[in-house]
Amino acid sequence: MYTWRLFQPSSLHWAWSTAALKHTLGRQQGAFRWTHSGGHSYRAVIFDMGGVLVPSPGTVAAQWEVQNHVPSGTILKALIRDGDSGPWMRFMRGEMTTEGFLEEFGRLYSEIVVESCLEGICKPDPRIFQLCLQRLNLQPSETIFLDDLGPNLKAAASLGIHTIKVANPETAVKELEALLGFPLRVGVPNTRPVRKTMEIPEDALEKYLKGLLGTHYSGPMELLQFDHGQSNPTYYIRLGNRQLVLRKKPPGPLLPSAHAIEREFRVMKALGNAGVPVPTVLDLCEDPSVIGTPFYLMEYCPGIIYKDPSLPGLEPSQRQAIYNAMNQVLCRIHSVDLQAGGLESFGKPGDYIPRQVKTWTKQYRAAETSTIPAMERLIQWLPLHLPRQQRTTVVHGDFRLDNLIFHPEKAEVLAVLDWELSTLGDPFADVAYSCLAHYLPSSFPMLRGFRDQDVTELGIPTAEEYFRKYCLRMDLPPIDNWSFYMAFSFFRVAAILQGVYKRSLTGQASSATAEQSGKLTESMAELAWDFATKEGFRVFKATPSAKPLMGSYHSWAGQSSPRTTSGVRHYSSVAAAAPSHEAKGGLIISPEGLSPRVRKLYDQLLRFMELNVYPAEEELQRHQASADRWRPSPLIEELKEKAKAEGLWNLFLPLETDPEKKYGAGLTNLEYAHLCEVMGMCFYAPEIFNCSAPDTGNMEILLQYGTEEQKARWLVPLLEGRIRSCFAMTEPQVASSDASNIEASIREEDGCYVINGHKWWSSGILDPRCKLCVFMGKTDPQAQRHQQQSMLLVPMDTPGIKVIRPLSVFGLEDPPGGHGEAQFKDVRVPKENILVGPGRGFEIAQGRLGPGRIHHCMRLIGYAERALSLLKTRAMSRTTFGKPLIEHGTIMADIAQSRVDIEQARLLVLKAAHLMDVAGNKAAALEIAMIKMVAPSMACRVIDRAIQAFGGAGLSSNYPLAQFYAWARALRIADGPDEVHQLTVARRELKNRARLQEPAAPRE
């Protein structure tokens, strides 16, 4: 038996919450009136444990414990109240998470517990009630007792306790509420009492509903009005145990073709049958005599509606998932088969934007109350800049976050609401409209946004990222005239707000905030005109000059978030893109110049990165920082299987070493360079596609120099991703930048090679999947300088190998492979494990360095592009000293210099890759040395500028900048010291007598 005190707010809140524990625990807060009825002053309620106000404790406890992994029986244990320091008050003050509160919720579940089994007394013995009164320190007249059994009620009443017989829980709760003077049941979210101007005849409605649903749905009807929505009034109805939603036209004269609830009903019914998440529609009533206007009914869909698009209170990963689900459901809407869904006639098949411009201009004119200059300019400008419609789909017309109902526990859209403006049209209009919040401030009334917040920190995709994800999912190329669609979207909002304002003047608007809309119309129009101006500049820049600039390519990296293909190049040319290199054998500086086969692979890689890799970054980063970091991430392994299944596997193997495309994708170095840059956007991406060092270099060695037996044993498992490998060359005792300095010995003995040496910076050696070590040591110290070294294939399970420790780079350990220090002591390997033969190690090492350095350098271009993208996003979303960061001259200079640095480095890398393809690695040695000098230093500069713009956040693990910088800086050594490359370039420059030379003597 439970007893509750009612004079403590903590207990009262708990009593109210518990009544609806299964649905909305922790989500609602109630306002209670401390009034009493009937002249009585009740101060406590006593009720039986189950079947009264709360569900049976056994059922509730079992369900809650299973869902929250709480040991069975925990909730049923009575816990003492902790007062202000207890979990409920701490939860109310924001000092405890929901999970923490639920874990201890039994502490406030009951103020006092009187258990018959412990007291040795059970109902209907009056002594059990006397014990409750004694523990409560109250008089019988101050308490209420609820039970479903007459003998128990009679015993309580005999003591003077007010009793309620629970035959029907709903009726009993209402009786208790009447006695207490405050509500116990949870209200329907986002509802309020029906506004005076929006009242409907309830008797007529109830009669209609009973005729529709059947007379067995008895009991009083509950009618509430939803507090959101600016157009068609929407109501919540409860009749018996049936929950419904009614949506109707507003009363009074209406604008032409507006508020077409008949079309809403039709499209929702069709889309529901097509698998789009919409509420189940029940009936359309076009007879205005029933409640005054036509209406339709649908099932009530419980869930969460996020009114604030910045999603306060959620984690960045949760926000990202919410917007990802929003993007996905929009793609589902736009993928509906019109013919199969019977929607071919739902709208005209073409000219959607022209018709919409005319429609909203007409609607605006009909609701116009004063002249708005920006609207007048837009009405003139929009018809002159109409886009050519590419596709016709169902369009929602008002697709926003607050028109979606989400599952309360996961990022899943349960229902899309408000189909009033739906028709057939241009799907890009929906995409642009769903991005309105990106350009509105958080203080904007009615349509709140997050323009003044850092979307990167929030975890919300930028508008550009959101648009790219949509295009990737729909397999559509991005459009250039995004600004037109945004201008049109804000123009339409302005027209809608003007209509709402006009209706508010006559009392027809369904929202209580409608009167504010008149002041907002002008603001919307100004925003629309800003986008129109941007589109005008774009068109102007794209206009061909009198003399076409043939082959003039321009790179562009749009504002984007760190989890996108930020910085991926989109090239435009005044002339058409050059034909495939296969016909001309020329330098390809743009992805548009790739052959159709390779361009398809490039686009496929972009899509995979967008949909699979970027969303996984946060989890992969957490794994790298966890106690399990030296074990391979299961998510990485899962993504590797996906990449392999899609053919995005072993892309690195150059065509020259695999001409039959037996092992790889058959790409040239130049072609792979473009793809490798994309992989460089994410630190974890190369491994996912089996294109990460040191495995790539080791696989190239095996392919080029290995015997058939060596290939079968090591190359095939590496290519399949079943094992990993490491490369052991660098030694702590000597300057290993000069490979001839290495001292590790390889001695022939009894038909084997015996290895002794101390190595460090052996990348990948700590990975439990590492089964092969490519070891470089000296077989003949007396031979010529570059013929002393040999390379051996050493199985990692060979006795004598001891991994001493992992080495860190600026504190980063790079698990699970890491970079290890290892001791090789009397390690014996068969003679057949030597590569090519004794004394060929230096030759093999040089052959390994060419393609591998292209990989490193192109990944560094990807690092830099990602850093620049983050820098731009940060600069446009942060304010310092009274103005946006982007308006500070130093930031603008950093952005400009970074773009120049990246473009210069990329062109040099592409040139080196091209020369390697057409002239060979040896002929390209100068260019390879130059890119080793240029790429790491360039990346360090660009990333450093981004870190500076981010401040302390740039140094944290919240962003990839610190990790990018660490490895870019490390490559200035790991790829050979800058000084070595500078020496190589300078020597070759001095030897090149073909270049123009100035005379030694001064001019007279």
Side-chain angles (χ1 to χ4, degrees), residues 644-665:
K644 189 186 298 185
E646 293 190 21
L648 297 172
W649 194 254
N650 294 332
L651 303 175
F652 68 93
L653 282 172
L655 184 62
E656 61 181 310
T657 56
D658 184 25
E660 298 178 1
K661 304 178 187 178
K662 181 179 178 181
Y663 301 107

Side-chain angles (χ1 to χ4, degrees), residues 863-893:
Y863 283 15
E865 281 285 11
R866 180 84 177 272
L868 176 56
S869 180
L870 283 165
L871 167 58
K872 292 187 295 183
T873 301
R874 186 75 166 191
M876 288 187 280
S877 63
R878 304 289 275 199
T879 301
T880 60
F881 303 105
K883 62 181 179 179
L885 200 59
I886 194 70
E887 294 182 10
H888 291 275
T890 54
I891 293 292
M892 296 292 282

